[in-house]
Amino acid sequence: MALLETRGLTASYGDFQALFGVDITVGAGETIAIIGANGAGKTTLMRSIAGVLSNQAASILYRDEPIGALQAPDIVARGIAMVPEGRKLFPSLTVEENLLVGRYGRRTDGPWHLDSVYGLFPVLKERRNTPSTALSGGQQQMVAIGRALMSNPELLLCDEISLGLAPVIVRDIYAAFPRIRETGASIVIVEQDIAQALKVADRVYCMMEGRVTLSGRSADLTRDAIHTAYFGAD
Ligand code: ATP
């Protein structure tokens, strides 16, 4: 049984349709990457799963139960947490206060709590009483990931966590992923950097114009197939 499955998922903003029947599966303990050009629908897919956008109930199944119509707090309570594009930290709160926000509404008896998040990202412990706005972009991204982990998710959704960050910082952030995987969590990352996506993910879905155009195991996808799925055949 897949942990998460989307079945013919559609999504619209008013009259504009952004997703046209997206089918993906995420197995327990799997890391999945969603790649695709700007506007392909990757963020819309993540926001649909996270309950930020409402969908047909049966178009998203989690542990075989329909969750497509649930709101974001109910989704978090089920064990799905999102690191949103642009981090969306609370600017008036410190690092530690931002992390504690993530604990709201979810079980606290899993592997993630303040100490283990500080163990994952030691720099956050040093800066625990600093306002989040005073952090570097990379540190802010660590807070956003830590905040999502504080809800002890079984499924972690990460939307463009490397956007705007220097390669060395991106490497530091992705270095945390094996530890997150060790807890048994499944991970879905949206990633513009194809090489990074292939490196971290077991399987990849490529999207274009609201549809999945390619899927497969990272090791099996050729550069040409990805190029065609990403940009179209021409
Ligand atoms: P990016 O890498 O730019 O974030 P993406 O693959 O995540 O791209 P989405 O953000 O999901 O793509 O956008 C899919 C389509 O939906 C785009 O054409 C976009 O312009 C449109 N769209 C996204 N958000 C809205 C919105 N709030 N209102 C109207 N249209 C939107």
Side-chain angles (χ1 to χ4, degrees):
M1 177 185 78
L3 183 68
L4 179 90
E5 188 177 352
T6 67
R7 284 190 184 163
L9 178 66
T10 59
S12 298
Y13 300 99
D15 290 342
F16 179 81
Q17 189 166 354
L19 298 182
F20 297 84
V22 170
D23 298 331
I24 70 163
T25 61
V26 182
E30 253 193 326
T31 297
I32 299 291
I34 313 283
I35 61 174
N38 284 342
K42 307 178 300 294
T43 295
T44 303
L45 172 61
M46 302 292 259
R47 298 179 79 213
S48 295
I49 298 168
V52 180
L53 293 174
S54 191
N55 299 88
Q56 296 290 323
S59 63
I60 307 176
L61 301 178
Y62 188 67
R63 297 189 174 287
D64 266 350
E65 290 178 18
I67 62 160
L70 297 183
Q71 305 287 308
D74 295 324
I75 296 290
V76 173
R78 297 267 178 138
I80 302 175
M82 179 160 73
V83 183
E85 187 174 11
R87 301 157 202 150
K88 308 276 192 310
L89 300 182
F90 296 95
S92 60
L93 301 184
T94 65
V95 167
E96 187 152 305
E97 287 165 345
N98 266 285
L99 292 175
L100 289 171
V101 167
R103 211 170 53 173
Y104 173 78
R106 179 65 181 140
R107 65 194 163 101
T108 52
D109 59 351
W112 297 111
H113 42 75
L114 276 179
D115 282 350
S116 53
V117 169
Y118 287 147
L120 191 67
F121 298 121
V123 68
L124 298 187
K125 186 168 189 180
E126 290 164 28
R127 311 213 65 186
R128 65 201 296 171
N129 297 318
T130 308
S132 61
T133 44
L135 301 182
S136 68
Q139 291 167 352
Q140 289 187 16
Q141 193 59 268
M142 291 174 190
V143 175
I145 294 169
R147 180 181 58 186
L149 290 174
M150 288 288 284
S151 69
N152 280 301
E154 293 158 341
L155 176 61
L156 180 68
L157 309 172
C158 299
D159 196 355
E160 307 236 8
I161 54 176
S162 46
L163 202 66
L165 301 179
V168 60
I169 309 294
V170 173
R171 196 190 60 201
D172 282 354
I173 288 174
Y174 273 108
F177 276 61
R179 172 77 193 92
I180 299 170
R181 293 182 64 146
E182 270 171 28
T183 68
S186 302
I187 304 171
V188 179
I189 60 160
V190 166
E191 184 51 78
Q192 292 260 357
D193 180 338
I194 297 173
Q196 182 64 62
L198 292 173
K199 202 165 18 164
V200 71
D202 303 307
R203 286 191 300 119
V204 174
Y205 290 91
C206 185
M207 293 180 66
M208 189 172 56
E209 296 173 357
R211 294 179 170 86
V212 172
T213 47
L214 178 73
S215 66
R217 300 197 67 77
S218 306
D220 298 339
L221 297 179
T222 65
R223 181 186 276 262
D224 280 354
I226 292 174
H227 190 274
T228 304
Y230 205 96
F231 297 108
D234 301 328

